Amino acid sequence: MKKYTYIAIILILSLLEIQAQKSFTVVIDPGHGGKDPGCVGSISKEKAINLSVALKLGSLIEQNHPDVQVIYTRRTDVFIPLDERANIANKYKADLFISIHTNSVRRGSASGTETYTLGLSNSDENLDVAMRENSVILMEDDYVQKYEGFDPQSTESYIIFEFIQSKYMEQSVSLAAEIQKSFVKSKRGNRGVRQGRLLVLRKTSMPSVLVELGFISNRTEERYLASNEGQKTLAQSIYRAFDSYKKDYVRKSGNMAGKPVVTSPRTITAENIPPHKEEITDTSSPATTRNTNDIIYKVQILTSDKKLSVKDKRFKGYNDISFYINQGVYKYTYGSTSDYKKIVSMQKKAAKDFKGAFIIKMKDGNRIYN
Protein backbone atom coordinates (compact mmCIF):
# COMPACT_ATOMS: atom_id res chain seq x y z
CA MET A 1 0.00 0.00 0.00
CA LYS A 2 2.82 2.37 0.90
CA LYS A 3 4.47 1.59 -2.44
CA TYR A 4 1.37 2.69 -4.41
CA THR A 5 0.99 5.80 -2.25
CA TYR A 6 4.59 6.72 -3.01
CA ILE A 7 4.08 6.19 -6.75
CA ALA A 8 0.94 8.33 -6.66
CA ILE A 9 2.81 11.15 -4.91
CA ILE A 10 5.61 10.99 -7.49
CA LEU A 11 3.11 11.15 -10.35
CA ILE A 12 1.32 14.14 -8.81
CA LEU A 13 4.59 15.98 -8.25
CA SER A 14 5.65 15.26 -11.82
CA LEU A 15 2.41 16.63 -13.19
CA LEU A 16 2.73 19.75 -11.06
CA GLU A 17 6.32 20.22 -12.22
CA ILE A 18 5.27 19.98 -15.88
CA GLN A 19 2.44 22.42 -15.28
CA ALA A 20 4.76 24.88 -13.52
CA GLN A 21 7.00 24.89 -16.58
CA LYS A 22 4.23 26.16 -18.87
CA SER A 23 5.51 29.30 -20.48
CA PHE A 24 3.22 29.87 -23.47
CA THR A 25 -0.49 30.56 -23.33
CA VAL A 26 -2.94 30.16 -26.20
CA VAL A 27 -6.60 31.13 -25.97
CA ILE A 28 -8.91 29.15 -28.24
CA ASP A 29 -12.23 30.86 -28.84
CA PRO A 30 -15.09 28.80 -30.34
CA GLY A 31 -17.26 31.52 -31.86
CA HIS A 32 -20.93 31.98 -30.90
CA GLY A 33 -22.71 29.57 -28.51
CA GLY A 34 -25.79 29.34 -26.31
CA LYS A 35 -28.55 31.65 -27.50
CA ASP A 36 -26.34 32.67 -30.44
CA PRO A 37 -26.23 29.80 -32.97
CA GLY A 38 -24.11 31.70 -35.48
CA CYS A 39 -24.74 30.68 -39.08
CA VAL A 40 -27.34 27.95 -39.55
CA GLY A 41 -27.13 25.35 -42.30
CA SER A 42 -29.51 22.65 -43.45
CA ILE A 43 -28.14 19.98 -41.09
CA SER A 44 -25.94 21.84 -38.59
CA LYS A 45 -25.27 25.02 -36.64
CA GLU A 46 -22.08 27.03 -36.64
CA LYS A 47 -21.75 27.10 -32.85
CA ALA A 48 -21.48 23.29 -32.69
CA ILE A 49 -18.93 23.05 -35.51
CA ASN A 50 -16.78 25.78 -33.97
CA LEU A 51 -16.78 24.12 -30.54
CA SER A 52 -15.94 20.67 -31.85
CA VAL A 53 -12.98 21.91 -33.91
CA ALA A 54 -11.77 24.11 -31.03
CA LEU A 55 -11.74 21.21 -28.55
CA LYS A 56 -9.92 18.98 -31.04
CA LEU A 57 -7.35 21.71 -31.64
CA GLY A 58 -6.81 22.26 -27.93
CA SER A 59 -6.39 18.54 -27.36
CA LEU A 60 -3.70 18.33 -30.06
CA ILE A 61 -1.80 21.24 -28.52
CA GLU A 62 -2.00 19.76 -25.01
CA GLN A 63 -0.81 16.36 -26.23
CA ASN A 64 2.19 17.68 -28.17
CA HIS A 65 3.18 20.83 -26.27
CA PRO A 66 3.28 20.20 -22.50
CA ASP A 67 4.75 23.68 -21.96
CA VAL A 68 1.62 25.34 -23.39
CA GLN A 69 -1.33 26.41 -21.32
CA VAL A 70 -4.57 26.07 -23.30
CA ILE A 71 -7.46 28.30 -22.31
CA TYR A 72 -10.92 28.01 -23.85
CA THR A 73 -13.41 30.85 -23.83
CA ARG A 74 -16.04 28.11 -23.68
CA ARG A 75 -16.09 24.31 -23.57
CA THR A 76 -19.85 23.92 -23.68
CA ASP A 77 -22.85 25.41 -25.47
CA VAL A 78 -22.93 28.72 -23.58
CA PHE A 79 -23.15 32.35 -24.66
CA ILE A 80 -20.01 34.44 -24.02
CA PRO A 81 -20.07 38.18 -24.86
CA LEU A 82 -17.50 39.34 -27.41
CA ASP A 83 -15.71 41.66 -25.00
CA GLU A 84 -15.43 38.90 -22.39
CA ARG A 85 -13.74 36.60 -24.89
CA ALA A 86 -11.04 39.21 -25.40
CA ASN A 87 -10.90 39.98 -21.66
CA ILE A 88 -10.10 36.33 -20.93
CA ALA A 89 -7.10 36.47 -23.24
CA ASN A 90 -5.95 39.80 -21.85
CA LYS A 91 -6.32 38.74 -18.22
CA TYR A 92 -4.03 35.74 -18.66
CA LYS A 93 -1.57 37.67 -20.83
CA ALA A 94 -2.00 35.13 -23.61
CA ASP A 95 0.66 34.82 -26.30
CA LEU A 96 -1.88 33.91 -28.95
CA PHE A 97 -5.62 34.20 -29.58
CA ILE A 98 -7.36 31.94 -32.11
CA SER A 99 -11.04 32.51 -32.76
CA ILE A 100 -12.79 29.76 -34.73
CA HIS A 101 -15.84 30.42 -36.93
CA THR A 102 -17.82 29.06 -39.86
CA ASN A 103 -18.70 31.17 -42.88
CA SER A 104 -21.90 31.72 -44.85
CA VAL A 105 -23.20 33.72 -47.81
CA ARG A 106 -26.76 34.74 -48.68
CA ARG A 107 -26.43 33.78 -52.34
CA GLY A 108 -24.18 31.56 -54.41
CA SER A 109 -22.14 28.50 -53.51
CA ALA A 110 -18.94 29.97 -52.06
CA SER A 111 -16.52 27.49 -50.49
CA GLY A 112 -13.09 27.37 -48.90
CA THR A 113 -11.22 28.60 -45.85
CA GLU A 114 -9.98 32.07 -44.97
CA THR A 115 -8.22 33.58 -41.97
CA TYR A 116 -8.72 37.14 -40.76
CA THR A 117 -6.50 39.56 -38.90
CA LEU A 118 -7.55 42.97 -37.64
CA GLY A 119 -7.36 45.52 -40.41
CA LEU A 120 -8.97 48.27 -42.42
CA SER A 121 -9.86 46.48 -45.66
CA ASN A 122 -12.50 48.32 -47.66
CA SER A 123 -13.66 45.14 -49.41
CA ASP A 124 -17.46 44.81 -49.35
CA GLU A 125 -17.09 41.06 -48.87
CA ASN A 126 -14.80 41.47 -45.88
CA LEU A 127 -17.13 44.07 -44.41
CA ASP A 128 -20.06 41.66 -44.72
CA VAL A 129 -18.14 39.08 -42.68
CA ALA A 130 -17.21 41.69 -40.05
CA MET A 131 -20.80 42.94 -39.78
CA ARG A 132 -22.10 39.40 -39.35
CA GLU A 133 -19.52 38.41 -36.73
CA ASN A 134 -19.87 41.71 -34.83
CA SER A 135 -23.68 41.59 -34.79
CA VAL A 136 -23.55 39.13 -31.90
CA ILE A 137 -23.21 42.12 -29.56
CA LEU A 138 -26.87 42.93 -30.23
CA MET A 139 -27.68 39.95 -27.98
CA GLU A 140 -25.79 41.53 -25.07
CA ASP A 141 -27.28 43.81 -22.44
CA ASP A 142 -26.14 47.45 -22.58
CA TYR A 143 -24.12 46.85 -25.73
CA VAL A 144 -24.28 50.55 -26.66
CA GLN A 145 -22.38 51.52 -23.51
CA LYS A 146 -20.14 48.45 -23.46
CA TYR A 147 -18.96 48.92 -27.04
CA GLU A 148 -18.88 52.72 -26.86
CA GLY A 149 -21.75 53.41 -29.24
CA PHE A 150 -20.57 50.96 -31.91
CA ASP A 151 -23.42 49.86 -34.21
CA PRO A 152 -22.46 46.61 -35.99
CA GLN A 153 -25.12 47.15 -38.64
CA SER A 154 -24.00 50.64 -39.64
CA THR A 155 -21.20 50.99 -42.19
CA GLU A 156 -20.44 54.46 -40.80
CA SER A 157 -19.77 53.03 -37.36
CA TYR A 158 -16.75 51.13 -38.69
CA ILE A 159 -14.81 54.38 -38.94
CA ILE A 160 -13.65 53.77 -35.33
CA PHE A 161 -11.17 51.24 -36.66
CA GLU A 162 -9.22 54.04 -38.29
CA PHE A 163 -7.97 54.91 -34.83
CA ILE A 164 -6.99 51.43 -33.65
CA GLN A 165 -3.89 49.73 -35.06
CA SER A 166 -2.52 46.49 -33.66
CA LYS A 167 1.17 46.42 -32.86
CA TYR A 168 0.90 42.64 -33.27
CA MET A 169 -0.13 42.85 -36.90
CA GLU A 170 3.04 41.24 -38.29
CA GLN A 171 2.76 38.19 -36.02
CA SER A 172 -0.97 37.90 -36.67
CA VAL A 173 -0.51 37.95 -40.44
CA SER A 174 2.34 35.44 -40.14
CA LEU A 175 0.14 32.98 -38.24
CA ALA A 176 -2.78 33.55 -40.60
CA ALA A 177 -0.55 32.76 -43.57
CA GLU A 178 0.65 29.54 -41.89
CA ILE A 179 -2.95 28.49 -41.24
CA GLN A 180 -3.92 29.00 -44.87
CA LYS A 181 -0.83 27.10 -46.08
CA SER A 182 -1.78 24.24 -43.80
CA PHE A 183 -5.35 24.20 -45.11
CA VAL A 184 -3.96 23.91 -48.64
CA LYS A 185 -1.90 20.88 -47.58
CA SER A 186 -5.15 19.35 -46.32
CA LYS A 187 -6.67 20.02 -49.76
CA ARG A 188 -9.07 22.64 -48.49
CA GLY A 189 -10.03 25.60 -50.66
CA ASN A 190 -7.83 28.63 -50.01
CA ARG A 191 -9.52 32.04 -49.97
CA GLY A 192 -6.42 33.62 -48.45
CA VAL A 193 -5.50 35.88 -45.55
CA ARG A 194 -7.87 38.81 -45.13
CA GLN A 195 -8.27 41.87 -42.98
CA GLY A 196 -11.48 42.66 -41.16
CA ARG A 197 -12.85 45.17 -38.67
CA LEU A 198 -13.64 42.53 -36.06
CA LEU A 199 -14.44 43.59 -32.50
CA VAL A 200 -13.22 40.37 -30.89
CA LEU A 201 -9.74 40.91 -32.42
CA ARG A 202 -9.66 44.65 -31.80
CA LYS A 203 -9.90 44.18 -28.04
CA THR A 204 -7.14 41.56 -27.69
CA SER A 205 -3.60 42.52 -26.65
CA MET A 206 -1.64 39.81 -28.43
CA PRO A 207 -1.28 38.30 -31.93
CA SER A 208 -4.81 37.27 -32.91
CA VAL A 209 -6.57 35.60 -35.82
CA LEU A 210 -10.12 34.62 -36.70
CA VAL A 211 -10.41 31.45 -38.77
CA GLU A 212 -13.38 30.80 -41.08
CA LEU A 213 -13.44 27.01 -41.51
CA GLY A 214 -15.69 26.92 -44.55
CA PHE A 215 -19.18 27.76 -45.76
CA ILE A 216 -22.13 26.22 -43.98
CA SER A 217 -24.31 27.70 -46.73
CA ASN A 218 -22.68 25.31 -49.22
CA ARG A 219 -24.42 21.90 -48.94
CA THR A 220 -21.33 19.91 -49.90
CA GLU A 221 -19.02 21.84 -47.62
CA GLU A 222 -21.54 21.76 -44.76
CA ARG A 223 -21.52 17.95 -44.76
CA TYR A 224 -17.73 18.06 -44.46
CA LEU A 225 -17.82 20.68 -41.69
CA ALA A 226 -20.41 18.70 -39.72
CA SER A 227 -18.52 15.39 -40.00
CA ASN A 228 -16.10 14.13 -37.38
CA GLU A 229 -13.48 13.43 -40.03
CA GLY A 230 -13.79 16.92 -41.48
CA GLN A 231 -13.55 18.57 -38.07
CA LYS A 232 -10.52 16.44 -37.22
CA THR A 233 -8.74 17.47 -40.43
CA LEU A 234 -9.52 21.15 -39.87
CA ALA A 235 -8.21 20.99 -36.30
CA GLN A 236 -5.04 19.25 -37.47
CA SER A 237 -4.51 21.94 -40.10
CA ILE A 238 -4.72 24.75 -37.55
CA TYR A 239 -2.53 22.75 -35.17
CA ARG A 240 0.28 22.42 -37.75
CA ALA A 241 0.23 26.19 -38.20
CA PHE A 242 0.31 26.68 -34.43
CA ASP A 243 3.23 24.27 -34.14
CA SER A 244 5.20 26.21 -36.75
CA TYR A 245 4.35 29.55 -35.13
CA LYS A 246 5.31 28.25 -31.68
CA LYS A 247 8.70 27.00 -32.88
CA ASP A 248 9.40 30.40 -34.42
CA TYR A 249 8.31 32.05 -31.15
CA VAL A 250 10.78 29.91 -29.16
CA ARG A 251 13.58 30.62 -31.64
CA LYS A 252 13.07 34.37 -31.35
CA SER A 253 12.53 34.53 -27.59
CA GLY A 254 15.10 32.01 -26.39
CA ASN A 255 14.06 30.41 -23.12
CA MET A 256 11.03 32.71 -22.81
CA ALA A 257 12.20 33.95 -19.45
CA GLY A 258 9.89 36.36 -17.72
CA LYS A 259 6.62 34.67 -18.63
CA PRO A 260 4.25 34.16 -15.68
CA VAL A 261 4.49 30.70 -14.10
CA VAL A 262 1.35 28.61 -14.25
CA THR A 263 0.79 26.30 -11.31
CA SER A 264 -2.89 25.37 -11.58
CA PRO A 265 -3.57 21.99 -13.26
CA ARG A 266 -7.21 22.82 -14.05
CA THR A 267 -8.57 23.66 -17.49
CA ILE A 268 -9.44 27.33 -17.63
CA THR A 269 -12.67 28.47 -19.25
CA ALA A 270 -14.86 31.55 -19.04
CA GLU A 271 -16.87 29.97 -16.22
CA ASN A 272 -13.99 30.01 -13.71
CA ILE A 273 -12.25 33.25 -14.68
CA PRO A 274 -12.77 36.15 -12.22
CA PRO A 275 -14.54 39.24 -13.59
CA HIS A 276 -12.31 41.51 -15.64
CA LYS A 277 -11.57 44.93 -14.11
CA GLU A 278 -10.92 47.99 -16.21
CA GLU A 279 -7.94 50.19 -15.59
CA ILE A 280 -8.98 53.78 -16.27
CA THR A 281 -7.00 56.97 -16.06
CA ASP A 282 -8.65 60.33 -16.70
CA THR A 283 -6.16 62.90 -17.95
CA SER A 284 -8.54 65.85 -17.94
CA SER A 285 -7.35 68.83 -15.98
CA PRO A 286 -9.14 69.79 -12.71
CA ALA A 287 -10.28 72.99 -14.44
CA THR A 288 -12.01 70.92 -17.09
CA THR A 289 -13.73 68.52 -14.71
CA ARG A 290 -14.69 71.23 -12.20
CA ASN A 291 -15.58 69.79 -8.78
CA THR A 292 -14.16 66.25 -8.72
CA ASN A 293 -16.73 65.25 -6.06
CA ASP A 294 -19.54 65.72 -8.59
CA ILE A 295 -20.59 63.36 -11.34
CA ILE A 296 -19.30 64.79 -14.58
CA TYR A 297 -20.91 64.05 -17.93
CA LYS A 298 -18.88 63.86 -21.14
CA VAL A 299 -19.55 62.80 -24.73
CA GLN A 300 -17.22 60.06 -25.97
CA ILE A 301 -16.48 60.58 -29.66
CA LEU A 302 -13.55 58.37 -30.73
CA THR A 303 -10.67 56.14 -29.63
CA SER A 304 -7.00 55.87 -30.64
CA ASP A 305 -4.01 53.68 -29.89
CA LYS A 306 -1.86 56.80 -29.48
CA LYS A 307 -2.21 60.26 -28.01
CA LEU A 308 -3.67 62.83 -30.38
CA SER A 309 -3.30 66.60 -30.34
CA VAL A 310 -6.46 68.49 -29.37
CA LYS A 311 -5.92 70.36 -32.62
CA ASP A 312 -5.98 67.15 -34.66
CA LYS A 313 -8.18 67.53 -37.73
CA ARG A 314 -10.19 64.49 -36.68
CA PHE A 315 -11.73 66.56 -33.89
CA LYS A 316 -13.25 68.77 -36.60
CA GLY A 317 -12.72 72.02 -34.71
CA TYR A 318 -14.43 70.91 -31.49
CA ASN A 319 -13.21 72.55 -28.27
CA ASP A 320 -13.15 71.14 -24.73
CA ILE A 321 -11.55 67.87 -25.84
CA SER A 322 -10.10 65.54 -23.21
CA PHE A 323 -9.34 61.84 -22.93
CA TYR A 324 -9.04 58.94 -20.52
CA ILE A 325 -6.94 55.81 -20.91
CA ASN A 326 -8.41 52.31 -20.76
CA GLN A 327 -6.10 49.30 -21.27
CA GLY A 328 -3.63 51.41 -23.23
CA VAL A 329 -6.31 52.87 -25.52
CA TYR A 330 -6.93 56.63 -25.58
CA LYS A 331 -10.65 57.41 -25.43
CA TYR A 332 -11.48 60.96 -26.42
CA THR A 333 -14.39 62.97 -25.08
CA TYR A 334 -16.06 66.27 -25.87
CA GLY A 335 -17.50 68.58 -23.20
CA SER A 336 -17.54 68.31 -19.42
CA THR A 337 -20.49 69.32 -17.27
CA SER A 338 -22.55 68.27 -14.27
CA ASP A 339 -25.71 69.43 -16.07
CA TYR A 340 -27.30 66.41 -17.74
CA LYS A 341 -29.60 68.45 -19.98
CA LYS A 342 -26.59 70.35 -21.27
CA ILE A 343 -24.63 67.18 -22.06
CA VAL A 344 -27.63 65.73 -23.92
CA SER A 345 -27.61 68.81 -26.14
CA MET A 346 -23.86 68.45 -26.68
CA GLN A 347 -24.28 64.76 -27.54
CA LYS A 348 -26.84 65.58 -30.23
CA LYS A 349 -24.43 68.09 -31.73
CA ALA A 350 -21.46 65.69 -31.63
CA ALA A 351 -23.47 62.80 -33.13
CA LYS A 352 -23.79 64.80 -36.36
CA ASP A 353 -20.01 64.63 -36.85
CA PHE A 354 -19.12 61.50 -34.82
CA LYS A 355 -21.41 58.57 -35.60
CA GLY A 356 -22.23 56.67 -32.39
CA ALA A 357 -21.11 59.45 -29.99
CA PHE A 358 -22.55 58.69 -26.56
CA ILE A 359 -22.66 60.07 -23.02
CA ILE A 360 -20.43 58.75 -20.24
CA LYS A 361 -20.28 59.55 -16.53
CA MET A 362 -17.11 60.17 -14.53
CA LYS A 363 -16.43 60.76 -10.86
CA ASP A 364 -13.12 61.47 -9.16
CA GLY A 365 -11.35 60.94 -12.48
CA ASN A 366 -12.86 57.48 -13.09
CA ARG A 367 -15.57 56.42 -15.48
CA ILE A 368 -18.62 54.92 -13.79
CA TYR A 369 -21.28 52.72 -15.35
CA ASN A 370 -24.36 53.03 -13.14
Side-chain angles (χ1 to χ4, degrees):
M1 188 67 180
K2 289 183 178 179
K3 177 181 178 181
Y4 291 116
T5 301
Y6 177 75
I7 292 174
I9 291 173
I10 293 297
L11 288 172
I12 291 171
L13 290 175
S14 297
L15 287 172
L16 290 174
E17 182 179 0
I18 291 173
Q19 192 69 25
Q21 293 174 352
K22 292 184 183 295
S23 53
F24 188 100
T25 299
V26 58
V27 169
I28 301 176
D29 172 45
H32 307 281
K35 63 183 180 181
D36 173 24
C39 300
V40 178
S42 60
I43 61 171
S44 60
K45 294 180 179 179
E46 177 185 358
K47 65 177 183 178
I49 295 171
N50 298 344
L51 180 60
S52 181
V53 173
L55 294 176
K56 286 178 170 59
L57 170 61
S59 179
L60 286 169
I61 294 173
E62 290 172 330
Q63 291 171 22
N64 297 286
H65 290 271
D67 63 321
V68 174
Q69 179 184 30
V70 176
I71 296 175
Y72 300 91
T73 57
R74 67 181 182 97
R75 290 180 62 93
T76 57
D77 185 18
V78 295
F79 178 76
I80 307 294
L82 276 189
D83 67 331
E84 185 56 29
R85 295 169 188 266
N87 287 342
I88 291 168
N90 294 337
K91 177 178 176 59
Y92 281 87
K93 296 180 172 60
D95 298 286
L96 202 57
F97 180 85
I98 302 174
S99 190
I100 296 176
H101 290 256
T102 304
N103 221 332
S104 180
V105 289
R106 298 184 187 90
R107 301 181 186 85
S109 56
S111 64
T113 63
E114 55 195 36
T115 303
Y116 280 81
T117 63
L118 182 66
L120 305 176
S121 171
N122 291 321
S123 163
D124 290 339
E125 187 177 7
N126 291 5
L127 182 59
D128 285 344
V129 171
M131 294 179 80
R132 186 182 71 244
E133 299 295 0
N134 292 338
S135 66
V136 65
I137 69 172
L138 298 175
M139 297 184 180
E140 302 178 27
D141 295 331
D142 302 322
Y143 79 90
V144 173
Q145 292 292 323
K146 188 185 292 185
Y147 296 95
E148 302 159 355
F150 181 83
D151 179 358
Q153 297 179 327
S154 168
T155 54
E156 293 179 21
S157 191
Y158 284 79
I159 195 171
I160 65 168
F161 284 87
E162 292 181 11
F163 308 109
I164 297 294
Q165 294 180 1
S166 173
K167 63 181 179 180
Y168 302 106
M169 181 63 71
E170 183 178 349
Q171 298 100 308
S172 299
V173 171
S174 175
L175 174 61
E178 286 294 332
I179 291 173
Q180 288 305 121
K181 287 179 185 177
S182 190
F183 280 140
V184 170
K185 291 180 180 178
S186 298
K187 299 182 179 179
R188 302 308 304 156
N190 177 24
R191 293 171 58 87
V193 174
R194 303 186 174 215
Q195 291 188 336
R197 308 177 189 204
L198 298 154
L199 285 173
V200 71
L201 300 184
R202 173 178 174 256
K203 287 179 171 286
T204 55
S205 301
M206 71 285 303
S208 306
V209 297
L210 185 148
V211 183
E212 295 283 4
L213 300 170
F215 286 80
I216 200 172
S217 53
N218 180 311
R219 292 288 184 90
T220 301
E221 194 149 89
E222 182 188 8
R223 287 194 292 272
Y224 178 83
L225 292 168
S227 71
N228 182 65
E229 191 62 31
Q231 293 168 2
K232 182 178 177 182
T233 299
L234 290 165
Q236 289 172 336
S237 298
I238 302 173
Y239 168 74
R240 287 196 298 268
F242 168 82
D243 182 65
S244 177
Y245 179 92
K246 170 71 165 26
K247 288 176 181 176
D248 189 55
Y249 176 93
V250 172
R251 179 181 62 79
K252 290 179 178 178
S253 59
N255 61 8
M256 293 182 285
K259 284 288 294 175
V261 175
V262 179
T263 57
S264 171
R266 63 183 177 145
T267 298
I268 299 175
T269 62
E271 287 82 357
N272 53 38
I273 292 178
H276 177 77
K277 294 183 179 180
E278 288 191 296
E279 296 177 2
I280 300 175
T281 302
D282 182 13
T283 57
S284 304
S285 67
T288 302
T289 57
R290 300 176 179 87
N291 186 344
T292 56
N293 292 321
D294 294 336
I295 289 178
I296 299 300
Y297 298 101
K298 296 170 178 280
V299 180
Q300 187 160 311
I301 55 177
L302 59 83
T303 61
S304 172
D305 65 333
K306 57 187 177 182
K307 188 174 181 180
L308 304 175
S309 167
V310 294
K311 296 182 180 180
D312 191 288
K313 64 180 180 180
R314 282 168 282 193
F315 294 124
K316 303 180 181 182
Y318 278 71
N319 296 319
D320 202 3
I321 297 294
S322 59
F323 67 87
Y324 65 98
I325 304 173
N326 174 212
Q327 295 184 346
V329 176
Y330 293 83
K331 302 190 175 183
Y332 286 86
T333 62
Y334 158 62
S336 181
T337 178
S338 57
D339 186 336
Y340 187 73
K341 289 184 179 180
K342 183 176 180 180
I343 203 66
V344 168
S345 177
M346 298 177 79
Q347 187 273 335
K348 290 179 179 178
K349 174 188 174 183
K352 294 177 182 178
D353 294 310
F354 300 95
K355 181 68 176 179
F358 64 101
I359 298 170
I360 65 171
K361 295 189 292 185
M362 304 195 80
K363 185 174 182 180
D364 298 329
N366 293 316
R367 181 176 168 184
I368 57 177
Y369 293 85
N370 53 15

